[in-house]
Amino acid sequence: MHYIIYETKNLLNGNIYIGKHKTSDLNDSYLGSGVALNKAIKKYGKENFKRTILYSFDNENDAFNKEAEIV
């Protein structure tokens, strides 16, 4: 299992969203689940967003701590 910290960027206006995600597939299509992000995806379309993995961890605690440090 991978615990990642990611950045999802709106390619049209440059807005970024930072989040944490648990996955077994680093190449899944997950962009995020925040209210503001989902509203933006609905408005601009999923194709106008790109997720970049910033950090990857083997355990959830390390990912949680890094997310808290960043946000």
Side-chain angles (χ1 to χ4, degrees), residues 8-17 31 35-50:
T8 297
K9 184 174 185 175
N10 182 324
L11 301 174
L12 298 177
N13 63 19
N15 287 351
I16 62 168
Y17 308 84
L31 291 174
V35 173
L37 175 59
N38 283 326
K39 185 176 177 181
I41 290 171
K42 188 173 182 178
K43 179 177 180 179
Y44 296 106
K46 193 173 186 176
E47 67 279 3
N48 290 307
F49 290 81
K50 179 183 177 187

mmCIF file of all heavy atoms in Angstrom, residues 8-17 31 35-50:
data_model
loop_
_atom_site.group_PDB
_atom_site.id
_atom_site.type_symbol
_atom_site.label_atom_id
_atom_site.label_comp_id
_atom_site.label_asym_id
_atom_site.label_seq_id
_atom_site.Cartn_x
_atom_site.Cartn_y
_atom_site.Cartn_z
ATOM 1 N N THR A 8 -3.023 18.495 -6.955
ATOM 2 C CA THR A 8 -3.859 18.504 -8.148
ATOM 3 C C THR A 8 -3.939 19.949 -8.615
ATOM 4 O O THR A 8 -4.288 20.838 -7.843
ATOM 5 C CB THR A 8 -5.263 17.942 -7.867
ATOM 6 O OG1 THR A 8 -5.137 16.569 -7.475
ATOM 7 C CG2 THR A 8 -6.141 18.018 -9.101
ATOM 8 N N LYS A 9 -3.573 20.168 -9.868
ATOM 9 C CA LYS A 9 -3.513 21.523 -10.411
ATOM 10 C C LYS A 9 -4.567 21.718 -11.491
ATOM 11 O O LYS A 9 -4.725 20.882 -12.377
ATOM 12 C CB LYS A 9 -2.131 21.788 -10.995
ATOM 13 C CG LYS A 9 -1.941 23.203 -11.496
ATOM 14 C CD LYS A 9 -0.505 23.449 -11.935
ATOM 15 C CE LYS A 9 -0.315 24.904 -12.306
ATOM 16 N NZ LYS A 9 1.089 25.184 -12.616
ATOM 17 N N ASN A 10 -5.262 22.845 -11.402
ATOM 18 C CA ASN A 10 -6.182 23.253 -12.457
ATOM 19 C C ASN A 10 -5.326 23.864 -13.561
ATOM 20 O O ASN A 10 -4.664 24.882 -13.352
ATOM 21 C CB ASN A 10 -7.180 24.278 -11.903
ATOM 22 C CG ASN A 10 -8.193 24.724 -12.924
ATOM 23 O OD1 ASN A 10 -7.886 24.871 -14.108
ATOM 24 N ND2 ASN A 10 -9.409 24.976 -12.471
ATOM 25 N N LEU A 11 -5.297 23.232 -14.711
ATOM 26 C CA LEU A 11 -4.437 23.673 -15.812
ATOM 27 C C LEU A 11 -4.921 24.955 -16.472
ATOM 28 O O LEU A 11 -4.172 25.583 -17.215
ATOM 29 C CB LEU A 11 -4.319 22.555 -16.851
ATOM 30 C CG LEU A 11 -3.750 21.237 -16.316
ATOM 31 C CD1 LEU A 11 -3.810 20.163 -17.388
ATOM 32 C CD2 LEU A 11 -2.335 21.421 -15.792
ATOM 33 N N LEU A 12 -6.153 25.363 -16.191
ATOM 34 C CA LEU A 12 -6.696 26.573 -16.801
ATOM 35 C C LEU A 12 -6.417 27.830 -15.978
ATOM 36 O O LEU A 12 -6.142 28.885 -16.543
ATOM 37 C CB LEU A 12 -8.206 26.428 -17.021
ATOM 38 C CG LEU A 12 -8.624 25.312 -17.973
ATOM 39 C CD1 LEU A 12 -10.133 25.215 -18.054
ATOM 40 C CD2 LEU A 12 -8.023 25.527 -19.355
ATOM 41 N N ASN A 13 -6.485 27.709 -14.654
ATOM 42 C CA ASN A 13 -6.297 28.918 -13.838
ATOM 43 C C ASN A 13 -5.140 28.814 -12.845
ATOM 44 O O ASN A 13 -4.850 29.760 -12.126
ATOM 45 C CB ASN A 13 -7.589 29.299 -13.113
ATOM 46 C CG ASN A 13 -8.048 28.260 -12.122
ATOM 47 O OD1 ASN A 13 -7.292 27.403 -11.686
ATOM 48 N ND2 ASN A 13 -9.320 28.324 -11.753
ATOM 49 N N GLY A 14 -4.486 27.650 -12.789
ATOM 50 C CA GLY A 14 -3.314 27.495 -11.935
ATOM 51 C C GLY A 14 -3.601 27.190 -10.475
ATOM 52 O O GLY A 14 -2.669 27.021 -9.688
ATOM 53 N N ASN A 15 -4.871 27.110 -10.081
ATOM 54 C CA ASN A 15 -5.187 26.781 -8.687
ATOM 55 C C ASN A 15 -4.674 25.388 -8.357
ATOM 56 O O ASN A 15 -4.730 24.482 -9.188
ATOM 57 C CB ASN A 15 -6.687 26.836 -8.435
ATOM 58 C CG ASN A 15 -7.221 28.247 -8.397
ATOM 59 O OD1 ASN A 15 -6.466 29.208 -8.386
ATOM 60 N ND2 ASN A 15 -8.531 28.370 -8.383
ATOM 61 N N ILE A 16 -4.179 25.220 -7.126
ATOM 62 C CA ILE A 16 -3.681 23.917 -6.701
ATOM 63 C C ILE A 16 -4.418 23.453 -5.457
ATOM 64 O O ILE A 16 -4.898 24.252 -4.661
ATOM 65 C CB ILE A 16 -2.163 23.914 -6.453
ATOM 66 C CG1 ILE A 16 -1.786 24.873 -5.330
ATOM 67 C CG2 ILE A 16 -1.397 24.205 -7.719
ATOM 68 C CD1 ILE A 16 -0.364 24.695 -4.845
ATOM 69 N N TYR A 17 -4.491 22.148 -5.320
ATOM 70 C CA TYR A 17 -5.145 21.490 -4.205
ATOM 71 C C TYR A 17 -4.167 20.436 -3.698
ATOM 72 O O TYR A 17 -3.635 19.660 -4.492
ATOM 73 C CB TYR A 17 -6.458 20.839 -4.654
ATOM 74 C CG TYR A 17 -7.363 21.795 -5.387
ATOM 75 C CD1 TYR A 17 -7.210 22.042 -6.747
ATOM 76 C CD2 TYR A 17 -8.365 22.483 -4.704
ATOM 77 C CE1 TYR A 17 -8.028 22.942 -7.412
ATOM 78 C CE2 TYR A 17 -9.185 23.381 -5.369
ATOM 79 C CZ TYR A 17 -9.006 23.607 -6.717
ATOM 80 O OH TYR A 17 -9.825 24.507 -7.386
ATOM 81 N N LEU A 31 -8.064 12.311 -8.278
ATOM 82 C CA LEU A 31 -7.652 13.719 -8.284
ATOM 83 C C LEU A 31 -7.839 14.374 -6.921
ATOM 84 O O LEU A 31 -7.180 15.363 -6.619
ATOM 85 C CB LEU A 31 -8.454 14.503 -9.328
ATOM 86 C CG LEU A 31 -8.165 14.179 -10.781
ATOM 87 C CD1 LEU A 31 -9.137 14.922 -11.691
ATOM 88 C CD2 LEU A 31 -6.730 14.523 -11.137
ATOM 89 N N VAL A 35 -14.334 19.443 -1.252
ATOM 90 C CA VAL A 35 -15.521 20.124 -1.785
ATOM 91 C C VAL A 35 -15.132 21.145 -2.864
ATOM 92 O O VAL A 35 -15.720 21.168 -3.954
ATOM 93 C CB VAL A 35 -16.308 20.810 -0.647
ATOM 94 C CG1 VAL A 35 -17.437 21.660 -1.190
ATOM 95 C CG2 VAL A 35 -16.832 19.776 0.331
ATOM 96 N N ALA A 36 -14.140 21.973 -2.576
ATOM 97 C CA ALA A 36 -13.722 23.005 -3.544
ATOM 98 C C ALA A 36 -13.174 22.369 -4.821
ATOM 99 O O ALA A 36 -13.476 22.822 -5.935
ATOM 100 C CB ALA A 36 -12.685 23.931 -2.922
ATOM 101 N N LEU A 37 -12.378 21.311 -4.669
ATOM 102 C CA LEU A 37 -11.822 20.636 -5.843
ATOM 103 C C LEU A 37 -12.924 20.007 -6.675
ATOM 104 O O LEU A 37 -12.946 20.155 -7.903
ATOM 105 C CB LEU A 37 -10.805 19.578 -5.423
ATOM 106 C CG LEU A 37 -10.243 18.711 -6.549
ATOM 107 C CD1 LEU A 37 -9.559 19.558 -7.615
ATOM 108 C CD2 LEU A 37 -9.300 17.666 -5.999
ATOM 109 N N ASN A 38 -13.844 19.308 -6.051
ATOM 110 C CA ASN A 38 -14.928 18.676 -6.809
ATOM 111 C C ASN A 38 -15.799 19.698 -7.524
ATOM 112 O O ASN A 38 -16.252 19.470 -8.646
ATOM 113 C CB ASN A 38 -15.770 17.779 -5.907
ATOM 114 C CG ASN A 38 -15.068 16.470 -5.626
ATOM 115 O OD1 ASN A 38 -14.357 15.950 -6.472
ATOM 116 N ND2 ASN A 38 -15.266 15.938 -4.440
ATOM 117 N N LYS A 39 -16.014 20.838 -6.903
ATOM 118 C CA LYS A 39 -16.774 21.914 -7.550
ATOM 119 C C LYS A 39 -16.023 22.422 -8.782
ATOM 120 O O LYS A 39 -16.612 22.640 -9.841
ATOM 121 C CB LYS A 39 -17.007 23.048 -6.548
ATOM 122 C CG LYS A 39 -17.868 24.156 -7.058
ATOM 123 C CD LYS A 39 -18.126 25.191 -5.965
ATOM 124 C CE LYS A 39 -18.947 26.342 -6.509
ATOM 125 N NZ LYS A 39 -19.195 27.367 -5.498
ATOM 126 N N ALA A 40 -14.694 22.575 -8.648
ATOM 127 C CA ALA A 40 -13.880 23.047 -9.771
ATOM 128 C C ALA A 40 -13.842 22.018 -10.899
ATOM 129 O O ALA A 40 -13.925 22.377 -12.076
ATOM 130 C CB ALA A 40 -12.462 23.368 -9.291
ATOM 131 N N ILE A 41 -13.744 20.739 -10.562
ATOM 132 C CA ILE A 41 -13.742 19.685 -11.588
ATOM 133 C C ILE A 41 -15.065 19.690 -12.344
ATOM 134 O O ILE A 41 -15.092 19.564 -13.569
ATOM 135 C CB ILE A 41 -13.461 18.304 -10.958
ATOM 136 C CG1 ILE A 41 -12.006 18.237 -10.483
ATOM 137 C CG2 ILE A 41 -13.756 17.181 -11.950
ATOM 138 C CD1 ILE A 41 -11.671 17.008 -9.663
ATOM 139 N N LYS A 42 -16.150 19.868 -11.622
ATOM 140 C CA LYS A 42 -17.466 19.929 -12.274
ATOM 141 C C LYS A 42 -17.548 21.133 -13.220
ATOM 142 O O LYS A 42 -18.103 21.046 -14.309
ATOM 143 C CB LYS A 42 -18.556 20.003 -11.213
ATOM 144 C CG LYS A 42 -19.947 19.882 -11.753
ATOM 145 C CD LYS A 42 -20.971 19.801 -10.634
ATOM 146 C CE LYS A 42 -22.363 19.637 -11.211
ATOM 147 N NZ LYS A 42 -23.368 19.520 -10.161
ATOM 148 N N LYS A 43 -16.972 22.253 -12.807
ATOM 149 C CA LYS A 43 -17.022 23.488 -13.602
ATOM 150 C C LYS A 43 -16.099 23.426 -14.823
ATOM 151 O O LYS A 43 -16.504 23.811 -15.923
ATOM 152 C CB LYS A 43 -16.631 24.678 -12.725
ATOM 153 C CG LYS A 43 -16.628 26.009 -13.448
ATOM 154 C CD LYS A 43 -16.301 27.152 -12.503
ATOM 155 C CE LYS A 43 -16.302 28.497 -13.233
ATOM 156 N NZ LYS A 43 -16.018 29.608 -12.314
ATOM 157 N N TYR A 44 -14.859 22.952 -14.642
ATOM 158 C CA TYR A 44 -13.847 23.017 -15.699
ATOM 159 C C TYR A 44 -13.620 21.706 -16.448
ATOM 160 O O TYR A 44 -13.007 21.704 -17.509
ATOM 161 C CB TYR A 44 -12.510 23.480 -15.119
ATOM 162 C CG TYR A 44 -12.553 24.880 -14.571
ATOM 163 C CD1 TYR A 44 -12.558 25.100 -13.195
ATOM 164 C CD2 TYR A 44 -12.585 25.989 -15.408
ATOM 165 C CE1 TYR A 44 -12.591 26.390 -12.672
ATOM 166 C CE2 TYR A 44 -12.624 27.276 -14.894
ATOM 167 C CZ TYR A 44 -12.626 27.468 -13.533
ATOM 168 O OH TYR A 44 -12.665 28.747 -13.023
ATOM 169 N N GLY A 45 -14.084 20.594 -15.901
ATOM 170 C CA GLY A 45 -13.884 19.296 -16.543
ATOM 171 C C GLY A 45 -12.633 18.603 -16.045
ATOM 172 O O GLY A 45 -11.591 19.233 -15.860
ATOM 173 N N LYS A 46 -12.738 17.296 -15.837
ATOM 174 C CA LYS A 46 -11.649 16.489 -15.298
ATOM 175 C C LYS A 46 -10.378 16.575 -16.149
ATOM 176 O O LYS A 46 -9.266 16.511 -15.635
ATOM 177 C CB LYS A 46 -12.124 15.038 -15.197
ATOM 178 C CG LYS A 46 -11.261 14.144 -14.393
ATOM 179 C CD LYS A 46 -11.919 12.779 -14.210
ATOM 180 C CE LYS A 46 -11.103 11.933 -13.266
ATOM 181 N NZ LYS A 46 -11.748 10.648 -12.983
ATOM 182 N N GLU A 47 -10.558 16.744 -17.448
ATOM 183 C CA GLU A 47 -9.401 16.792 -18.363
ATOM 184 C C GLU A 47 -8.519 18.017 -18.140
ATOM 185 O O GLU A 47 -7.397 18.074 -18.643
ATOM 186 C CB GLU A 47 -9.872 16.740 -19.819
ATOM 187 C CG GLU A 47 -10.648 17.965 -20.287
ATOM 188 C CD GLU A 47 -12.130 17.983 -19.899
ATOM 189 O OE1 GLU A 47 -12.609 17.064 -19.201
ATOM 190 O OE2 GLU A 47 -12.811 18.935 -20.322
ATOM 191 N N ASN A 48 -9.000 18.993 -17.408
ATOM 192 C CA ASN A 48 -8.235 20.216 -17.158
ATOM 193 C C ASN A 48 -7.531 20.219 -15.803
ATOM 194 O O ASN A 48 -7.129 21.270 -15.307
ATOM 195 C CB ASN A 48 -9.151 21.435 -17.279
ATOM 196 C CG ASN A 48 -9.563 21.645 -18.718
ATOM 197 O OD1 ASN A 48 -8.730 21.712 -19.602
ATOM 198 N ND2 ASN A 48 -10.853 21.714 -18.956
ATOM 199 N N PHE A 49 -7.351 19.018 -15.228
ATOM 200 C CA PHE A 49 -6.665 18.863 -13.954
ATOM 201 C C PHE A 49 -5.578 17.811 -14.083
ATOM 202 O O PHE A 49 -5.730 16.834 -14.816
ATOM 203 C CB PHE A 49 -7.654 18.460 -12.855
ATOM 204 C CG PHE A 49 -8.597 19.568 -12.497
ATOM 205 C CD1 PHE A 49 -9.716 19.809 -13.279
ATOM 206 C CD2 PHE A 49 -8.360 20.388 -11.415
ATOM 207 C CE1 PHE A 49 -10.588 20.844 -12.979
ATOM 208 C CE2 PHE A 49 -9.221 21.430 -11.101
ATOM 209 C CZ PHE A 49 -10.334 21.655 -11.879
ATOM 210 N N LYS A 50 -4.488 18.034 -13.368
ATOM 211 C CA LYS A 50 -3.377 17.091 -13.385
ATOM 212 C C LYS A 50 -2.914 16.860 -11.952
ATOM 213 O O LYS A 50 -2.671 17.808 -11.212
ATOM 214 C CB LYS A 50 -2.215 17.629 -14.206
ATOM 215 C CG LYS A 50 -1.022 16.702 -14.231
ATOM 216 C CD LYS A 50 0.141 17.287 -14.989
ATOM 217 C CE LYS A 50 1.323 16.332 -14.904
ATOM 218 N NZ LYS A 50 2.521 16.917 -15.472
#
